Amino acid sequence: IEDDLSSKERMFRLIQGDVGSGKTIVSLIAALNTINSGYQVALMVPTEILAKQHFNFSKVFFNSDVKIELITGKIDYSSKKKILERLESNKINLIIGTHSLFQKNIKFNSLGLIIIDEQHKFGVNQRKELSDKGGENCDILLMTATPIPRTLTMTIYGDMDLSIIKEKPKNRKVIKTYSKLESKIG
């Protein structure tokens, strides 16, 4: 992101890649560049569990100069109010949250980048409500692990650039997926 957002074209990009391919690292590097340029970043995810994972990983990734907050529907009113005040006064660089991020009472001071993980789990109107908070020049980076055929991508997201991460990091552990009977979950 350049310092003068009014003189550039807005980024509108979808990153597609398998679980563990590095999409989150790419998004956090983009977030760091945005923060270093004096703008705020919003990272929206569909579940509280994923929000907490991103929050914990971001705390490890960034140094202590980057102010990160987590906001979800389960945060109590007084904590949420303090977060909203700090967000609006530009004392938060990166806000990570669920659907709560596009609510009307969320106001940013200088939103420069919106990152949406598992973007297909949000409706078009939900994504638009969040992007409206950043204005016309706010960059948007969407991430998905769901393969989308190129022709379908062009039909649905015709004005979006597409990046596909095909290679895996060299030291990546094997992804294991387990399922349990619903009666065994508890």
Side-chain angles (χ1 to χ4, degrees):
I1 288 189
E2 299 170 4
D3 285 343
D4 181 10
L5 285 178
S6 63
S7 69
K8 70 159 193 87
E9 236 181 87
R10 167 177 109 148
M11 175 182 70
F12 191 39
R13 178 169 298 277
L14 173 67
I15 298 178
Q16 181 181 318
D18 287 344
V19 172
S21 66
K23 297 181 301 290
T24 301
I25 293 291
V26 169
S27 71
L28 292 179
I29 291 169
L32 183 60
N33 286 333
T34 303
I35 292 165
N36 287 339
S37 295
Y39 296 95
Q40 294 171 300
V41 177
L43 170 55
M44 185 169 72
V45 298
T47 66
E48 187 170 352
I49 291 171
L50 189 54
K52 286 179 181 177
Q53 288 175 346
H54 275 289
F55 179 74
N56 291 331
F57 186 69
S58 296
K59 287 282 196 184
V60 171
F61 183 83
F62 294 111
N63 66 35
S64 60
D65 294 341
V66 176
K67 304 303 178 215
I68 306 167
E69 285 291 346
L70 175 69
I71 191 164
T72 65
K74 292 187 178 177
I75 292 181
D76 66 83
Y77 177 77
S78 63
S79 298
K80 187 180 244 179
K81 186 176 176 185
K82 288 176 188 172
I83 290 171
L84 297 181
E85 288 169 0
R86 292 182 62 232
L87 185 65
E88 192 169 4
S89 64
N90 209 23
K91 293 180 179 154
I92 295 175
N93 305 114
L94 171 61
I95 184 105
I96 299 169
T98 55
H99 295 76
S100 56
L101 281 180
F102 61 79
Q103 302 303 314
K104 288 187 184 351
N105 62 341
I106 304 279
K107 293 180 178 74
F108 294 87
N109 182 284
S110 59
L111 184 58
L113 175 63
I114 295 167
I115 302 167
I116 302 177
D117 195 5
E118 296 194 36
Q119 60 83 33
H120 58 281
K121 294 193 177 178
F122 295 98
V124 172
N125 289 336
Q126 293 173 326
R127 292 191 308 257
K128 182 168 178 359
E129 284 178 41
L130 181 56
S131 70
D132 286 349
K133 293 178 182 289
E136 289 182 23
N137 293 315
C138 183
D139 290 326
I140 299 174
L141 182 62
L142 306 173
M143 299 186 293
T144 186
T146 305
I148 304 170
R150 183 164 173 72
T151 51
L152 183 59
T153 302
M154 294 307 291
T155 302
I156 298 173
Y157 308 110
D159 58 343
M160 184 184 300
D161 294 316
L162 176 66
S163 296
I164 300 174
I165 300 175
K166 294 181 181 178
E167 295 181 22
K168 312 292 186 285
K170 287 183 182 181
N171 297 328
R172 183 184 108 154
K173 293 181 180 178
V174 175
I175 304 296
K176 295 180 183 178
T177 304
Y178 300 94
S179 67
K180 279 187 169 183
L181 295 173
E182 201 171 319
S183 61
K184 302 282 183 184
I185 298 173

